[in-house]
Coordinates of all heavy atoms in Angstrom, one line a residue:
D1 N 0.4 68.4 -86.3 CA 1.1 69.7 -86.7 C 2.6 69.6 -86.3 O 3.4 70.1 -87.0 CB 0.4 70.8 -86.0 CG -1.0 71.1 -86.6 OD1 -1.2 70.7 -87.7 OD2 -1.8 71.7 -85.9
E2 N 2.8 69.1 -85.1 CA 4.2 69.1 -84.6 C 5.0 68.1 -85.4 O 6.2 68.4 -85.6 CB 4.2 68.7 -83.1 CG 3.6 69.7 -82.2 CD 4.3 71.0 -82.3 OE1 5.5 71.1 -82.4 OE2 3.5 72.0 -82.2
R3 N 4.4 67.0 -85.9 CA 5.2 66.1 -86.7 C 5.6 66.8 -88.0 O 6.7 66.6 -88.5 CB 4.3 64.8 -87.0 CG 5.1 63.8 -87.7 CD 4.3 62.6 -87.9 NE 3.4 62.8 -89.0 CZ 2.6 61.8 -89.5 NH1 2.6 60.6 -89.0 NH2 1.8 62.1 -90.5
M4 N 4.7 67.5 -88.6 CA 5.0 68.3 -89.8 C 6.1 69.3 -89.6 O 7.0 69.5 -90.4 CB 3.8 68.9 -90.4 CG 2.7 67.9 -90.8 SD 3.3 66.7 -92.0 CE 2.8 67.6 -93.4
R5 N 6.0 70.0 -88.4 CA 7.0 71.0 -88.1 C 8.4 70.3 -87.9 O 9.4 70.9 -88.4 CB 6.6 71.7 -86.8 CG 7.4 72.8 -86.4 CD 6.7 73.6 -85.3 NE 7.7 74.3 -84.6 CZ 7.8 74.6 -83.3 NH1 6.8 74.2 -82.6 NH2 8.7 75.3 -82.8
M6 N 8.4 69.2 -87.3 CA 9.7 68.4 -87.2 C 10.2 68.0 -88.5 O 11.4 68.1 -88.8 CB 9.5 67.2 -86.3 CG 10.7 66.4 -86.0 SD 10.4 65.0 -85.0 CE 12.0 64.3 -85.0
G7 N 9.4 67.6 -89.4 CA 9.8 67.3 -90.8 C 10.4 68.5 -91.5 O 11.4 68.3 -92.2
Y8 N 9.8 69.6 -91.3 CA 10.3 70.8 -91.9 C 11.8 71.1 -91.4 O 12.7 71.4 -92.1 CB 9.4 72.0 -91.6 CG 10.0 73.4 -91.9 CD1 10.0 73.8 -93.3 CD2 10.4 74.2 -91.0 CE1 10.5 75.0 -93.6 CE2 10.9 75.5 -91.3 CZ 11.0 75.9 -92.6 OH 11.5 77.1 -93.0
F9 N 11.9 71.0 -90.1 CA 13.3 71.3 -89.5 C 14.3 70.2 -89.9 O 15.5 70.5 -90.1 CB 13.2 71.4 -88.0 CG 12.6 72.7 -87.5 CD1 11.4 72.8 -86.8 CD2 13.2 73.9 -87.9 CE1 10.9 73.9 -86.4 CE2 12.6 75.1 -87.5 CZ 11.4 75.2 -86.7
A10 N 13.8 69.0 -90.0 CA 14.7 67.9 -90.5 C 15.2 68.2 -91.9 O 16.3 68.0 -92.2 CB 14.0 66.6 -90.4
Q11 N 14.3 68.7 -92.8 CA 14.7 69.1 -94.1 C 15.7 70.2 -94.1 O 16.7 70.2 -94.9 CB 13.5 69.5 -95.0 CG 12.7 68.3 -95.5 CD 11.6 68.7 -96.5 OE1 11.0 69.8 -96.3 NE2 11.4 67.9 -97.5
I12 N 15.4 71.2 -93.3 CA 16.3 72.4 -93.3 C 17.7 72.0 -92.8 O 18.7 72.4 -93.3 CB 15.8 73.5 -92.3 CG1 14.6 74.1 -93.0 CG2 16.8 74.5 -92.0 CD1 13.9 75.1 -92.1
A13 N 17.8 71.1 -91.8 CA 19.1 70.6 -91.2 C 19.8 69.9 -92.3 O 21.1 70.0 -92.3 CB 18.8 69.7 -90.0
N14 N 19.2 69.1 -93.1 CA 19.8 68.4 -94.3 C 21.0 67.6 -93.8 O 22.1 67.7 -94.3 CB 20.2 69.4 -95.3 CG 20.5 68.7 -96.6 OD1 20.1 67.6 -96.9 ND2 21.4 69.3 -97.5
M15 N 20.7 66.8 -92.7 CA 21.7 65.9 -92.2 C 21.2 64.5 -92.1 O 20.0 64.3 -91.9 CB 22.1 66.3 -90.8 CG 22.8 67.7 -90.7 SD 23.0 68.3 -89.0 CE 23.6 66.9 -88.1
P16 N 22.0 63.5 -92.4 CA 21.5 62.1 -92.3 C 20.8 61.7 -91.0 O 19.8 61.0 -90.9 CB 22.7 61.2 -92.6 CG 23.7 62.1 -93.2 CD 23.4 63.5 -92.7
E17 N 21.4 62.3 -89.9 CA 20.9 61.9 -88.6 C 19.5 62.4 -88.4 O 18.6 61.7 -87.8 CB 21.8 62.5 -87.5 CG 23.2 61.9 -87.5 CD 24.2 62.7 -88.4 OE1 23.7 63.6 -89.1 OE2 25.4 62.4 -88.3
T18 N 19.2 63.7 -88.8 CA 17.9 64.3 -88.6 C 16.9 63.6 -89.5 O 15.7 63.4 -89.1 CB 17.9 65.8 -88.8 OG1 18.4 66.1 -90.1 CG2 18.7 66.5 -87.8
T19 N 17.3 63.3 -90.7 CA 16.4 62.6 -91.7 C 16.0 61.2 -91.1 O 14.8 60.8 -91.1 CB 17.1 62.4 -93.0 OG1 17.4 63.7 -93.5 CG2 16.1 61.8 -94.0
K20 N 17.0 60.5 -90.6 CA 16.7 59.2 -90.0 C 15.8 59.3 -88.8 O 14.9 58.5 -88.6 CB 18.0 58.5 -89.7 CG 17.9 57.0 -89.2 CD 19.2 56.3 -89.1 CE 18.9 54.9 -88.7 NZ 20.1 54.1 -88.7
L21 N 16.1 60.3 -88.0 CA 15.2 60.5 -86.8 C 13.8 60.7 -87.2 O 12.8 60.2 -86.7 CB 15.7 61.6 -85.9 CG 14.8 62.1 -84.8 CD1 14.7 60.9 -83.8 CD2 15.4 63.3 -84.1
Y22 N 13.6 61.6 -88.2 CA 12.3 61.9 -88.7 C 11.6 60.7 -89.3 O 10.4 60.4 -89.0 CB 12.3 63.1 -89.7 CG 10.9 63.4 -90.2 CD1 10.0 64.0 -89.3 CD2 10.5 63.2 -91.5 CE1 8.7 64.3 -89.7 CE2 9.2 63.5 -91.9 CZ 8.3 64.1 -91.0 OH 7.1 64.4 -91.4
D23 N 12.3 59.9 -90.0 CA 11.8 58.7 -90.6 C 11.3 57.7 -89.5 O 10.3 57.1 -89.6 CB 12.8 58.0 -91.5 CG 13.0 58.8 -92.8 OD1 12.2 59.7 -93.1 OD2 14.1 58.5 -93.5
T24 N 12.1 57.6 -88.5 CA 11.7 56.8 -87.3 C 10.4 57.3 -86.7 O 9.5 56.5 -86.3 CB 12.9 56.7 -86.3 OG1 14.0 56.2 -86.9 CG2 12.5 55.8 -85.1
V25 N 10.4 58.6 -86.5 CA 9.2 59.2 -85.8 C 7.9 58.9 -86.7 O 6.9 58.5 -86.2 CB 9.3 60.7 -85.6 CG1 8.0 61.4 -85.3 CG2 10.4 60.9 -84.5
V26 N 8.1 59.0 -88.0 CA 6.9 58.8 -88.9 C 6.5 57.3 -88.8 O 5.3 57.0 -88.8 CB 7.3 59.2 -90.4 CG1 6.3 58.7 -91.4 CG2 7.4 60.7 -90.5
A27 N 7.5 56.4 -88.8 CA 7.2 55.0 -88.8 C 6.5 54.6 -87.5 O 5.6 53.7 -87.5 CB 8.5 54.2 -88.9
W28 N 6.8 55.3 -86.4 CA 6.3 54.9 -85.1 C 5.2 55.9 -84.6 O 4.7 55.9 -83.5 CB 7.4 54.9 -84.0 CG 8.2 53.7 -84.1 CD1 9.3 53.5 -84.8 CD2 8.0 52.5 -83.4 NE1 9.8 52.2 -84.6 CE2 9.0 51.6 -83.8 CE3 7.0 52.0 -82.5 CZ2 9.1 50.3 -83.3 CZ3 7.1 50.7 -82.1 CH2 8.1 49.9 -82.4
W29 N 4.7 56.7 -85.5 CA 3.8 57.8 -85.1 C 2.5 57.3 -84.5 O 2.1 57.9 -83.5 CB 3.4 58.7 -86.3 CG 2.6 59.8 -85.8 CD1 1.3 60.1 -86.1 CD2 3.0 60.9 -85.0 NE1 0.9 61.2 -85.4 CE2 1.9 61.7 -84.7 CE3 4.2 61.2 -84.4 CZ2 2.0 62.8 -83.9 CZ3 4.3 62.3 -83.6 CH2 3.2 63.1 -83.3
D30 N 1.9 56.2 -84.9 CA 0.7 55.7 -84.3 C 0.9 55.4 -82.8 O 0.1 55.8 -81.9 CB 0.2 54.5 -85.0 CG -0.3 54.8 -86.4 OD1 -0.7 56.0 -86.6 OD2 -0.4 53.9 -87.2
A31 N 2.0 54.8 -82.5 CA 2.3 54.4 -81.1 C 2.7 55.7 -80.3 O 2.3 55.8 -79.1 CB 3.5 53.4 -81.0
I32 N 3.4 56.6 -80.9 CA 3.7 57.9 -80.2 C 2.5 58.7 -79.9 O 2.3 59.2 -78.8 CB 4.7 58.7 -81.1 CG1 6.1 58.0 -81.2 CG2 4.9 60.1 -80.5 CD1 7.0 58.6 -82.2
E33 N 1.5 58.7 -80.9 CA 0.3 59.4 -80.6 C -0.5 58.8 -79.5 O -1.1 59.5 -78.7 CB -0.5 59.4 -81.9 CG -1.6 60.4 -81.9 CD -2.3 60.6 -83.3 OE1 -2.2 59.6 -84.1 OE2 -2.8 61.7 -83.6
V34 N -0.6 57.5 -79.4 CA -1.3 56.8 -78.4 C -0.7 57.2 -77.0 O -1.4 57.5 -76.1 CB -1.3 55.3 -78.5 CG1 -1.7 54.6 -77.3 CG2 -2.1 54.9 -79.7
L35 N 0.7 57.2 -77.0 CA 1.3 57.6 -75.7 C 1.0 59.1 -75.3 O 0.7 59.4 -74.2 CB 2.9 57.5 -75.9 CG 3.7 58.1 -74.7 CD1 3.4 57.3 -73.4 CD2 5.1 58.1 -75.1
I36 N 1.0 60.0 -76.3 CA 0.7 61.4 -76.0 C -0.8 61.5 -75.5 O -1.0 62.2 -74.6 CB 0.9 62.2 -77.3 CG1 2.4 62.3 -77.6 CG2 0.3 63.6 -77.1 CD1 2.7 62.9 -79.0
V37 N -1.7 60.8 -76.2 CA -3.1 61.0 -75.8 C -3.5 60.3 -74.5 O -4.1 60.9 -73.7 CB -4.0 60.4 -77.0 CG1 -5.5 60.4 -76.6 CG2 -3.8 61.3 -78.2
T38 N -3.0 59.1 -74.3 CA -3.4 58.3 -73.2 C -2.4 58.3 -72.0 O -2.8 58.1 -70.9 CB -3.6 56.8 -73.5 OG1 -2.4 56.2 -73.9 CG2 -4.6 56.6 -74.6
G39 N -1.2 58.5 -72.3 CA -0.1 58.5 -71.3 C 0.2 57.1 -70.8 O 0.9 56.9 -69.8
A40 N -0.3 56.1 -71.5 CA -0.1 54.7 -71.2 C 1.2 54.2 -71.6 O 1.6 54.4 -72.8 CB -1.2 53.8 -71.8
T41 N 2.0 53.6 -70.7 CA 3.3 53.1 -71.0 C 3.4 51.7 -70.4 O 2.5 51.3 -69.6 CB 4.4 53.9 -70.5 OG1 4.4 53.9 -69.0 CG2 4.3 55.4 -70.9
T42 N 4.5 51.0 -70.7 CA 4.8 49.7 -70.1 C 5.8 49.8 -69.0 O 6.5 48.8 -68.7 CB 5.2 48.7 -71.2 OG1 6.4 49.2 -71.8 CG2 4.2 48.5 -72.2
A43 N 5.9 51.0 -68.4 CA 7.0 51.3 -67.5 C 6.9 50.3 -66.2 O 7.9 49.8 -65.8 CB 6.9 52.7 -67.0
K44 N 5.7 50.1 -65.7 CA 5.5 49.3 -64.6 C 5.9 47.8 -64.8 O 6.6 47.2 -64.0 CB 4.1 49.3 -64.1 CG 3.7 50.6 -63.4 CD 2.3 50.6 -62.9 CE 1.9 51.9 -62.3 NZ 0.5 51.9 -61.8
V45 N 5.6 47.3 -66.0 CA 6.0 46.0 -66.4 C 7.5 45.9 -66.5 O 8.1 44.9 -66.0 CB 5.3 45.6 -67.7 CG1 5.8 44.2 -68.2 CG2 3.8 45.5 -67.5
E46 N 8.1 46.8 -67.2 CA 9.5 46.8 -67.3 C 10.2 46.9 -66.0 O 11.3 46.3 -65.8 CB 9.9 48.0 -68.3 CG 9.4 47.8 -69.7 CD 9.9 46.6 -70.4 OE1 11.1 46.1 -70.1 OE2 9.2 46.0 -71.2
A47 N 9.7 47.8 -65.1 CA 10.3 47.9 -63.8 C 10.2 46.5 -63.0 O 11.2 46.1 -62.4 CB 9.6 49.0 -63.0
G48 N 9.1 45.9 -63.2 CA 9.0 44.5 -62.5 C 10.0 43.5 -63.1 O 10.6 42.8 -62.3
N49 N 10.1 43.5 -64.4 CA 11.1 42.6 -65.0 C 12.5 42.9 -64.6 O 13.3 42.0 -64.3 CB 11.0 42.7 -66.6 CG 9.7 42.1 -67.1 OD1 9.1 41.3 -66.4 ND2 9.3 42.5 -68.3
T50 N 12.8 44.2 -64.5 CA 14.2 44.6 -64.0 C 14.4 44.1 -62.6 O 15.5 43.6 -62.2 CB 14.4 46.1 -64.1 OG1 14.2 46.5 -65.5 CG2 15.8 46.5 -63.7
G51 N 13.4 44.3 -61.8 CA 13.5 43.8 -60.4 C 13.7 42.3 -60.3 O 14.5 41.8 -59.5
I52 N 13.0 41.5 -61.1 CA 13.2 40.1 -61.1 C 14.6 39.7 -61.5 O 15.2 38.9 -60.9 CB 12.1 39.4 -62.1 CG1 10.7 39.6 -61.4 CG2 12.5 38.0 -62.3 CD1 9.6 39.2 -62.4
K53 N 15.1 40.4 -62.6 CA 16.4 40.1 -63.0 C 17.5 40.4 -62.0 O 18.4 39.7 -61.8 CB 16.7 40.9 -64.3 CG 16.1 40.4 -65.5 CD 16.5 41.2 -66.7 CE 15.8 40.6 -68.0 NZ 16.1 41.4 -69.2
N54 N 17.3 41.5 -61.2 CA 18.2 41.9 -60.2 C 18.2 40.8 -59.0 O 19.2 40.5 -58.5 CB 17.9 43.3 -59.6 CG 18.3 44.3 -60.6 OD1 19.2 44.1 -61.4 ND2 17.7 45.5 -60.5
I55 N 17.0 40.4 -58.7 CA 16.9 39.3 -57.7 C 17.6 38.1 -58.1 O 18.3 37.4 -57.3 CB 15.4 39.0 -57.3 CG1 14.8 40.2 -56.6 CG2 15.3 37.8 -56.5 CD1 13.3 40.1 -56.4
K56 N 17.4 37.7 -59.3 CA 18.0 36.5 -59.9 C 19.5 36.6 -59.9 O 20.3 35.7 -59.6 CB 17.5 36.1 -61.3 CG 16.1 35.6 -61.3 CD 15.6 35.4 -62.7 CE 16.1 34.2 -63.3 NZ 15.5 33.9 -64.6
R57 N 20.0 37.8 -60.2 CA 21.4 38.1 -60.2 C 22.0 38.0 -58.8 O 23.1 37.6 -58.7 CB 21.6 39.5 -60.8 CG 23.0 39.8 -61.3 CD 23.1 41.2 -62.0 NE 22.3 41.1 -63.3 CZ 21.4 42.0 -63.6 NH1 21.1 43.0 -62.8 NH2 20.8 41.9 -64.8
T58 N 21.2 38.5 -57.8 CA 21.7 38.4 -56.5 C 21.9 37.0 -56.0 O 22.8 36.6 -55.3 CB 20.6 39.1 -55.5 OG1 20.5 40.4 -55.9 CG2 21.1 39.0 -54.1
G59 N 21.0 36.1 -56.5 CA 21.1 34.7 -56.1 C 22.1 33.8 -56.7 O 22.3 32.7 -56.3
R60 N 22.8 34.3 -57.7 CA 23.9 33.5 -58.3 C 24.9 33.1 -57.3 O 25.4 33.9 -56.5 CB 24.5 34.3 -59.5 CG 23.6 34.4 -60.6 CD 24.3 34.8 -61.9 NE 23.4 34.9 -63.0 CZ 23.2 35.9 -63.8 NH1 24.0 37.0 -63.5 NH2 22.4 35.9 -64.7
G61 N 25.4 31.9 -57.5 CA 26.4 31.4 -56.6 C 25.8 30.6 -55.4 O 26.6 29.8 -54.8
F62 N 24.5 30.7 -55.2 CA 23.9 29.8 -54.1 C 23.8 28.4 -54.7 O 23.2 28.2 -55.8 CB 22.6 30.4 -53.7 CG 22.6 31.6 -52.8 CD1 22.4 32.8 -53.3 CD2 23.0 31.4 -51.5 CE1 22.4 33.9 -52.5 CE2 23.0 32.6 -50.7 CZ 22.8 33.8 -51.2
R63 N 24.2 27.4 -53.9 CA 24.1 26.1 -54.4 C 22.9 25.4 -53.7 O 22.4 24.4 -54.2 CB 25.4 25.3 -54.1 CG 26.5 25.8 -54.9 CD 27.8 25.1 -54.6 NE 28.9 25.7 -55.4 CZ 29.8 25.1 -56.0 NH1 29.9 23.8 -55.9 NH2 30.7 25.7 -56.7
N64 N 22.6 25.9 -52.6 CA 21.4 25.3 -51.8 C 20.2 26.0 -52.2 O 20.0 27.2 -52.1 CB 21.7 25.6 -50.3 CG 20.6 25.0 -49.4 OD1 19.5 24.8 -49.9 ND2 21.0 24.6 -48.2
P65 N 19.2 25.3 -52.8 CA 18.0 25.9 -53.3 C 17.2 26.7 -52.2 O 16.6 27.7 -52.5 CB 17.1 24.8 -53.8 CG 18.1 23.7 -54.0 CD 19.2 23.9 -53.1
E66 N 17.3 26.2 -51.0 CA 16.5 26.8 -49.9 C 17.2 28.2 -49.6 O 16.5 29.2 -49.3 CB 16.5 26.0 -48.6 CG 15.7 26.5 -47.5 CD 14.2 26.7 -47.9 OE1 13.7 25.9 -48.8 OE2 13.6 27.6 -47.4
N67 N 18.5 28.3 -49.6 CA 19.2 29.6 -49.4 C 18.8 30.5 -50.5 O 18.6 31.7 -50.3 CB 20.7 29.4 -49.3 CG 21.1 28.7 -48.0 OD1 20.3 28.6 -47.1 ND2 22.3 28.3 -48.0
Y68 N 18.8 30.0 -51.7 CA 18.5 30.8 -52.9 C 17.0 31.4 -52.7 O 16.8 32.6 -52.9 CB 18.6 30.0 -54.2 CG 18.2 30.7 -55.4 CD1 19.0 31.7 -55.9 CD2 17.1 30.3 -56.2 CE1 18.7 32.4 -57.1 CE2 16.8 31.0 -57.3 CZ 17.6 32.0 -57.8 OH 17.2 32.6 -59.0
R69 N 16.1 30.5 -52.4 CA 14.7 31.0 -52.2 C 14.6 32.0 -51.1 O 13.9 33.0 -51.2 CB 13.9 29.7 -51.8 CG 12.4 30.0 -51.6 CD 11.7 28.7 -51.3 NE 10.3 29.0 -51.0 CZ 9.8 29.4 -49.8 NH1 10.7 29.5 -48.8 NH2 8.6 29.6 -49.6
T70 N 15.3 31.8 -50.0 CA 15.3 32.7 -48.9 C 15.9 34.1 -49.3 O 15.3 35.1 -48.9 CB 16.2 32.2 -47.7 OG1 15.6 30.9 -47.3 CG2 16.1 33.1 -46.5
R71 N 16.9 34.1 -50.1 CA 17.5 35.3 -50.5 C 16.6 36.1 -51.4 O 16.4 37.3 -51.3 CB 18.8 35.0 -51.3 CG 19.5 36.2 -51.8 CD 20.0 37.1 -50.7 NE 20.7 38.2 -51.2 CZ 20.7 39.4 -50.7 NH1 20.2 39.6 -49.5 NH2 21.3 40.4 -51.2
I72 N 15.8 35.4 -52.3 CA 14.9 36.0 -53.1 C 13.7 36.6 -52.3 O 13.3 37.8 -52.5 CB 14.3 35.0 -54.2 CG1 15.4 34.7 -55.2 CG2 13.1 35.6 -54.9 CD1 15.0 33.6 -56.2
L73 N 13.2 35.9 -51.3 CA 12.2 36.4 -50.5 C 12.6 37.6 -49.7 O 11.9 38.6 -49.5 CB 11.7 35.3 -49.6 CG 10.9 34.2 -50.3 CD1 10.6 33.1 -49.3 CD2 9.6 34.7 -50.9
L74 N 13.9 37.6 -49.2 CA 14.4 38.7 -48.4 C 14.5 40.0 -49.3 O 14.1 41.1 -48.9 CB 15.7 38.4 -47.8 CG 15.7 37.5 -46.6 CD1 17.1 37.1 -46.2 CD2 15.0 38.2 -45.4
A75 N 15.0 39.8 -50.5 CA 15.1 40.9 -51.4 C 13.8 41.5 -51.8 O 13.6 42.7 -51.9 CB 15.9 40.5 -52.7
S76 N 12.8 40.6 -52.0 CA 11.4 41.0 -52.3 C 10.8 41.8 -51.2 O 10.1 42.8 -51.4 CB 10.5 39.8 -52.7 OG 11.1 39.2 -53.8
A77 N 11.0 41.3 -50.0 CA 10.4 41.9 -48.8 C 11.0 43.3 -48.6 O 10.3 44.3 -48.2 CB 10.6 41.0 -47.5
A78 N 12.4 43.4 -48.7 CA 13.0 44.7 -48.6 C 12.5 45.7 -49.6 O 12.3 46.9 -49.3 CB 14.5 44.5 -48.7
R79 N 12.3 45.3 -50.8 CA 11.7 46.2 -51.8 C 10.3 46.6 -51.5 O 10.0 47.7 -51.7 CB 11.8 45.5 -53.2 CG 11.3 46.4 -54.3 CD 11.6 45.9 -55.6 NE 13.0 45.5 -55.7 CZ 13.5 44.5 -56.4 NH1 12.7 43.8 -57.1 NH2 14.8 44.2 -56.5
A80 N 9.5 45.7 -51.0 CA 8.1 46.0 -50.6 C 8.0 47.0 -49.5 O 7.2 47.9 -49.5 CB 7.4 44.8 -50.3
V81 N 9.0 47.0 -48.6 CA 9.0 47.9 -47.4 C 9.4 49.3 -47.8 O 8.9 50.3 -47.4 CB 9.9 47.3 -46.3 CG1 10.0 48.4 -45.2 CG2 9.3 46.1 -45.8
A82 N 10.4 49.4 -48.7 CA 11.0 50.6 -49.1 C 10.1 51.5 -49.9 O 9.1 51.6 -50.2 CB 12.3 50.4 -49.9

């Protein structure tokens, strides 16, 4: 029902931006509906990937692999405690 209501308002607005937004919602509706019903997201996975990237970014410039490894472990430990 809400998707149809959004389509109605997109037609009334008669703007390319709203039409494109509505078309995107229609194209992704199955995934959007799954999110609404289950509440399942990939947020935890994405947060983990961001954390890994930040740790790797912190280690740039280290030439000694042992120092690099130590820095990664320290950053991971600090995150686990917080």
Side-chain angles (χ1 to χ4, degrees):
D1 291 337
E2 294 301 320
R3 185 176 78 172
M4 298 301 269
R5 189 170 158 210
M6 183 181 178
Y8 171 74
F9 286 119
Q11 278 185 328
I12 289 175
N14 195 24
M15 296 169 47
E17 295 89 353
T18 56
T19 304
K20 187 172 181 174
L21 173 64
Y22 182 68
D23 290 343
T24 303
V25 168
V26 169
W28 284 91
W29 184 250
D30 291 339
I32 293 169
E33 194 171 29
V34 167
L35 172 65
I36 292 169
V37 171
T38 65
T41 68
T42 59
K44 289 182 181 179
V45 173
E46 294 300 326
N49 288 341
T50 301
I52 290 167
K53 285 182 181 182
N54 285 336
I55 290 170
K56 288 173 78 175
R57 200 172 292 128
T58 302
R60 287 200 180 121
F62 285 103
R63 294 178 185 221
N64 182 333
E66 188 58 31
N67 289 348
Y68 179 68
R69 181 179 174 279
T70 302
R71 180 66 179 149
I72 291 173
L73 291 174
L74 285 172
S76 298
R79 183 169 306 147
V81 172

